[in-house]
Amino acid sequence: MPYFTKLLLLIFCLALLVESRKHRRRRWTTHLDVQRASHIFKKNRDLTKARKGKTEQLLRVDEHDFTMRPAFGGPAIPVGVDVQVESLDSISEVDMDFTMTLYLRHYWKDERLSFPSTNNKSMTFDGRLVKKIWVPDVFFVHSKRSFIHDTTTDNIMLRVFPDGHVLYSMRVTVTAMCNMDFSHFPLDSQTCSLELESYAYTDEDLMLYWKNGNESLKTDEKISLSQFLIQKFHTTSRLAFYSSTGWYNRLYINFTLRRHIFFFLLQTYFPATLMVMLSWVSFWIDRRAVPARVSLGITTVLTMSTIITGVNASMPRVSYIKAVDIYLWVSFVFVFLSVLEYAAVNYLTTVQERKERKLRERFSCSCGIPHSKTMMLDGNYSESDANSLAGYTRNQMVPEEEKPEKMVVHLAMSNESNSSRKRGLKGHVGLRIIQNTHAIDKYSRLIFPGTYIFFNLIYWSVFS
């Protein structure tokens, strides 16, 4: 029995020993896992949190009052500006404005933002830091609309250098006013300006200047406009005075645009010229063709009115005369005069025919020709023959007793000549047309084209 008790005690002790070793091994494993996890955590710690704390410590943003400008109470802080024009989006003649997209950059020094650096590298931030520090309050003078692009985030960049120099850049689209002169439209050149100025700080607190002179303005080579040719970009600066606040530095971005003329040649000048030339066709139409000449004149007048209305609809209502107005209204006057020309021709033709009718009636009564003979005379004789008969005097008339026989012979000969004239009618169509043309039409065929060509020579030599 004692032997059996000793055996059980031995087994119990061995079991306790094994359990104790397993417990120690488990504790050791847990300790290793904790150490390994701690090592991994130290190796992959959140660098942004550490960098944030380091950045705040380096820039000391919370230690300064950035509502005041740098070096407050001292001389004016110089702020350099340069611009890169990305695009000229549109030029509106009706609204007298232009839309431009550009990169606007400011350069200044703020010693409150200086930080120690071993490698002299700058730190770059987005727009969130801009709200915590001082930045120049530059705005666009005469701006109608403007905005900072915010896709996919605000297009703002802030770069701080160890010595406190700051670069502040933003991407802006602005629509600004441009005072245009349309006295030479569409053969004109326009000069527009985008003006930058500090809103609150006068020249005693802030001095705006172009950082590199004319080299401060750069443009994209792909900039182009449908109606304009960009001739020149340049920069200027001057002081602007406000009676209530004082003097301010103002920077100007000037650009000169020359209008392309080919579009207006196709849409305005060529149609107007063709309408004027079309009105001249009536000078070659028979003066007795009243419907043809009247309808042609009215059509050209109405077409010129439509062209003038279409051009003025796309232009601002200015109080002075434009170059295109001079051309269109002179062309309208030429077309209108062609209508008046036919009115004069028709009136004078009616008066002349009335006089010839009276002469024929007087000749038939004085010569004693029967009414049937007179009808035959009117039907077979041309106007030139009637005029020649109307020119006879009493001395040339035959005696009273010889009048019937000789008149009968004369009419017979005339009938024979008329029959021969009818046989050769096809060969004298051109001659009949000339006989049916009034003298005013003959002169108009030369005067109207010559005068219009002379006007065009003067017009294009003055305005081109």
Side-chain angles (χ1 to χ4, degrees), residues 87-93 95-101 145 173-176 178 180 192 223-228 255 257:
S87 64
L88 264 173
D89 301 324
S90 64
I91 306 290
S92 176
E93 291 88 357
D95 299 327
M96 285 194 182
D97 59 22
F98 65 93
T99 302
M100 178 187 294
T101 300
R145 296 175 300 276
T173 294
V174 56
T175 300
C178 178
M180 300 182 184
C192 299
I223 293 178
S224 62
L225 293 170
S226 58
Q227 292 190 20
F228 290 93
F255 55 95
L257 306 172

Side-chain angles (χ1 to χ4, degrees), residues 17 53 94 115 126 146 174 214 218 254 271 292 326 363 368 432:
L17 181 61
V94 177
F115 61 91
D126 57 14
S146 60
V174 56
N214 282 330
K218 299 185 182 299
N254 305 308
I326 296 176
F363 177 77
R432 295 294 296 274

Side-chain angles (χ1 to χ4, degrees), residues 90 246 306 454:
S90 64
T306 303
F454 179 71

Side-chain angles (χ1 to χ4, degrees), residues 198-239:
S198 173
Y199 191 83
Y201 298 100
T202 64
D203 61 340
E204 297 179 355
D205 292 323
L206 189 146
M207 184 181 66
L208 280 179
Y209 68 98
W210 290 111
K211 189 173 184 298
N212 299 313
N214 282 330
E215 298 297 326
S216 301
L217 179 61
K218 299 185 182 299
T219 59
D220 194 338
E221 296 180 355
K222 298 181 181 179
I223 293 178
S224 62
L225 293 170
S226 58
Q227 292 190 20
F228 290 93
L229 173 65
I230 302 176
Q231 290 185 323
K232 182 175 60 174
F233 271 97
H234 66 282
T235 61
T236 55
S237 61
R238 66 186 67 174
L239 289 174

